[in-house]
Amino acid sequence: MKDTTKALDSLKTLLEAGVSPFHAIAESERRLKEQGFQKLILGEAWSVAPGNSYYVNLYGSSLIAFSIGANAKKGEKAPVFRMAASHTDWPCLRIKPTPEMTKDGYGLLNVECYGGMLLQTWFDRPLSIAGRICLRGQDAFHPTERLIDFKRPLLMVPNLANHIKRESEKNAEPNKQTDMLPIIAAFRDSLPDENFFLGLLAQEAGVSRSDILDYELYIYNCEKDARWGLNQEFYSSPRLDNLTSVEACLSGLLTAGRCGKNDDTISLIALYDNEEVGSRTKQGAASSAADRIMEKLYLSLGYTREEYLTAMFESFLLSMDVGHAYHPSKPNNYDPKNHARINEGVVIKMSSTQSYATDSTAVSVLEQLCQDHEIPYKKFSNRSDIRGGSTLGSISSCELAVRAADVGVGLLAMHSAMETMGACDQDALNRLTTVFFED
C-alpha cells in the first residue's frame, strides 16, 4: 500500500484543531500565515500584486484564500480562476440560549440538532464543547469575539437500556428535543445555580457572566482517531465530513498555488460554513461573498469589471465534499455499476439532477488530470430510486456561472459521530487538488 502517512498526519492535525467551524478556520489561517499569505480586510481598500498570496476571513467561520500568478499582469490577458471549494461545518449538536435544564438531580443542556445527524451514533460517547463567544466591546456594534474549546470530556447522551424500553421505543428514531439532551452534571444535596452553564462558560473563558452577550457553541465527539484493519487500510475519526476536503484545499493551494507551472492564473480556495443546513447564509456558498471578493481582487489588480466577467466564464470550480463509500452489508443501497469502494481514490460524483455539479466536459478535465498523474479515481452515481446527498458545488457554480465538478473521498457512516475513510484516499485527493492548480 502506498505510504500515506504524511497526508493523514496533516489531516489529523486539522481534525484535532478543527473542533468547530471557527476553530477549523483559525487552523487554516495559521497554516496560510506560516506560508506567507497576507490577510486582507473586507471593509478596506486592497493593495495586491502578482506573485503574492492573500486570504480573507469571512465572519469567523469561512475563508477565501488565493495566490496570484506572477504573470497575471495588467495589459496582458486577464487571468482566469482555478477554484476549489469545501465546507467547514458538520452535523452535530448546538447549544441553545439559556440551555440549563434540571431533572431529578441531573443537570442537562438544551440543544438542537444541526444538519442531518445520524442521531443514534451520538449516544454513549464522550462529548465536549467548542465555538465562539461574544463579549461586551467598546461599543454595541463591535462585540469582542473569543474562541473557546473545553478540550475535555464534559457531556454524554446516554442510551436507555433495552430491558426497560417499551416495544414502541425499541426501533424508534430518537426524538430531537427530548432524547438528545446531554447530561452535564449530577446534583446531590443542593439545587444548582439556575445559570450553571453560563457560570461554567464564564469560568472557562476567564470573564464575568455579565460580559457574555451570546455564543455559538458546538458539541463535538472528543474520541481520538484510529487507523485500523488487517493492513491498516482504514482511517476513522470524527469530522471527516468535510475536513478531508478542507485539508485537500489547503494542501493543494500551499503546495502548488504559489509555484505552479500555470503562473498566469489565480489559484483560489473557498472554505464555506453552513453547507449542512443549506448554504444560504452570508458565509455560505449561496452568498455573493465569493463573487464580490473576486471582483474586488480584479479591480485591485487594475482590471475592469468587463474583464472580470469575461475571465469568470473561462474559470473552473472544483467542488470538494465527501462521497458515499460502498457498504458490503448493504449492496442494494448502491447503483449496481457506479459505486466506489474504500481506497479507490478520488470519487467523482455525478447526477443528472445536478445535486452534484458535473457535466461531461468538467468530468473529462478531472479524468485527464487523474490519468496523466496516475491518481486513482472512480465515478459515482446514486441508485436511481435513492436521492442521495447534495453539495455546495451546484450552488456555487450557479452563483458564479462557471464550469464545476464534484469530487471527494468516499466515507462509510457519513454524518455519524465517527466516520471511516480509506487510508490512501486523502493522499489521492490532495494530489488531485495540487495538479488542478499546477497544470
Side-chain angles (χ1 to χ4, degrees):
M1 180 178 289
K2 178 181 170 60
D3 183 13
T4 58
T5 303
K6 183 178 179 181
L8 285 182
D9 284 349
S10 185
L11 173 61
K12 179 177 180 176
T13 299
L14 179 61
L15 291 167
E16 290 179 346
V19 290
S20 79
F22 303 107
H23 288 81
I25 291 301
E27 172 63 13
S28 300
E29 278 197 69
R30 184 194 69 79
R31 293 191 188 185
L32 293 166
K33 286 179 180 178
E34 197 174 69
Q35 296 298 317
F37 279 67
Q38 303 169 50
K39 186 173 184 177
L40 299 173
I41 305 301
L42 282 174
E44 296 179 359
W46 291 356
S47 177
V48 297
N52 292 325
S53 301
Y54 307 89
Y55 74 91
V56 180
N57 185 310
L58 281 172
Y59 307 108
S61 62
S62 295
L63 178 145
I64 291 178
F66 47 88
S67 292
I68 308 170
N71 295 329
K73 300 174 182 177
K74 179 61 180 168
E76 301 178 9
K77 182 181 178 182
V80 300
F81 286 97
R82 295 273 178 87
M83 299 172 281
S86 58
H87 65 89
T88 60
D89 61 325
W90 56 87
C92 63
L93 298 170
R94 278 188 40 156
I95 300 175
K96 289 183 176 180
T98 56
E100 297 91 346
M101 300 177 70
T102 57
K103 291 186 179 181
D104 297 320
Y106 288 103
L108 304 95
L109 294 184
N110 191 14
V111 298
E112 58 186 331
C113 295
Y114 177 90
M117 300 170 60
L118 285 177
L119 297 176
Q120 195 63 49
T121 68
W122 285 79
F123 285 79
D124 309 319
R125 296 183 187 268
L127 306 173
S128 193
I129 299 170
R132 177 173 68 182
I133 61 174
C134 290
L135 311 172
R136 295 181 64 86
Q138 292 293 327
D139 62 78
F141 286 93
H142 297 89
T144 299
E145 300 176 9
R146 184 177 300 180
L147 299 191
I148 190 167
D149 177 11
F150 282 83
K151 295 185 178 180
R152 62 184 185 273
L154 195 62
L155 312 151
M156 189 170 287
V157 183
N159 252 307
L160 182 65
N162 202 48
H163 310 78
I164 56 175
K165 283 185 179 180
R166 298 183 180 90
E167 286 300 320
S168 61
E169 294 176 310
K170 288 186 176 180
N171 296 311
E173 178 78 0
N175 182 280
K176 292 181 179 180
Q177 179 59 60
T178 60
D179 295 331
M180 300 305 297
L181 302 179
I183 295 174
I184 192 172
F187 306 108
R188 282 176 172 262
D189 302 323
S190 60
L191 290 175
D193 177 351
E194 64 178 8
N195 299 121
F196 61 85
F197 176 70
L198 186 63
L200 174 68
L201 189 59
Q203 180 181 1
E204 190 73 16
V207 300
S208 66
R209 297 187 191 190
S210 59
D211 284 336
I212 300 176
L213 299 172
D214 202 7
Y215 53 74
E216 294 169 83
L217 295 175
Y218 299 77
I219 293 176
Y220 68 91
N221 178 13
C222 51
E223 291 177 303
K224 298 300 183 183
D225 65 322
R227 190 164 177 177
W228 57 279
L230 187 64
N231 297 300
Q232 300 286 282
E233 61 265 53
F234 299 99
Y235 181 74
S236 296
S237 175
R239 303 179 288 282
L240 294 180
D241 178 9
N242 188 32
L243 293 189
T244 54
S245 298
V246 173
E247 172 65 29
C249 284
L250 289 167
S251 176
L253 184 65
L254 292 174
T255 302
R258 306 189 70 196
C259 55
K261 294 175 289 186
N262 213 335
D263 212 19
D264 57 352
T265 65
I266 298 175
S267 301
L268 179 146
I269 62 171
L271 311 179
Y272 293 112
D273 194 6
N274 301 133
E275 190 274 344
E276 299 292 355
V277 292
S279 296
R280 299 194 175 280
T281 63
K282 65 187 182 302
Q283 62 270 15
S287 79
S288 59
D291 181 45
R292 291 180 180 180
I293 287 171
M294 288 189 287
E295 183 178 359
K296 184 169 182 174
L297 167 59
Y298 246 69
L299 296 175
S300 300
L301 286 169
Y303 293 103
T304 65
R305 176 169 171 76
E306 182 179 359
E307 288 174 309
Y308 166 69
L309 295 175
T310 300
M312 286 301 295
F313 287 114
E314 297 183 39
S315 298
F316 196 106
L317 169 67
L318 193 61
S319 169
M320 309 184 75
D321 202 346
V322 293
H324 298 289
Y326 183 79
H327 193 306
S329 298
K330 299 290 183 181
N332 291 333
N333 289 71
Y334 298 84
D335 184 83
K337 297 279 288 185
N338 300 295
H339 52 261
R341 294 189 298 268
I342 289 288
N343 285 320
E344 287 195 317
V346 175
V347 178
I348 300 176
K349 299 184 287 183
M350 306 174 68
S351 173
S352 62
T353 68
Q354 289 301 300
S355 54
Y356 307 133
T358 41
D359 61 30
S360 58
T361 302
V363 169
S364 297
V365 170
L366 299 187
E367 285 198 271
Q368 183 162 339
L369 285 174
C370 287
Q371 291 173 8
D372 289 350
H373 295 275
E374 298 182 339
I375 299 170
Y377 71 95
K378 185 68 184 291
K379 293 180 181 178
F380 171 89
S381 293
N382 286 299
R383 274 181 63 106
S384 299
D385 55 356
I386 294 179
R387 181 182 180 275
S390 60
T391 72
L392 56 80
S394 294
I395 296 170
S396 292
S397 64
C398 178
E399 293 289 333
L400 300 173
V402 296
R403 287 184 302 163
D406 260 298
V407 301
V409 300
L411 292 191
L412 292 169
M414 187 191 299
H415 289 193
S416 171
M418 180 69 78
E419 300 164 321
T420 294
M421 64 182 287
C424 293
D425 291 337
Q426 186 67 48
D427 179 75
L429 191 65
N430 288 3
R431 288 196 290 135
L432 173 60
T433 315
T434 299
V435 301
F436 171 76
F437 286 131
E438 277 184 344
D439 278 27

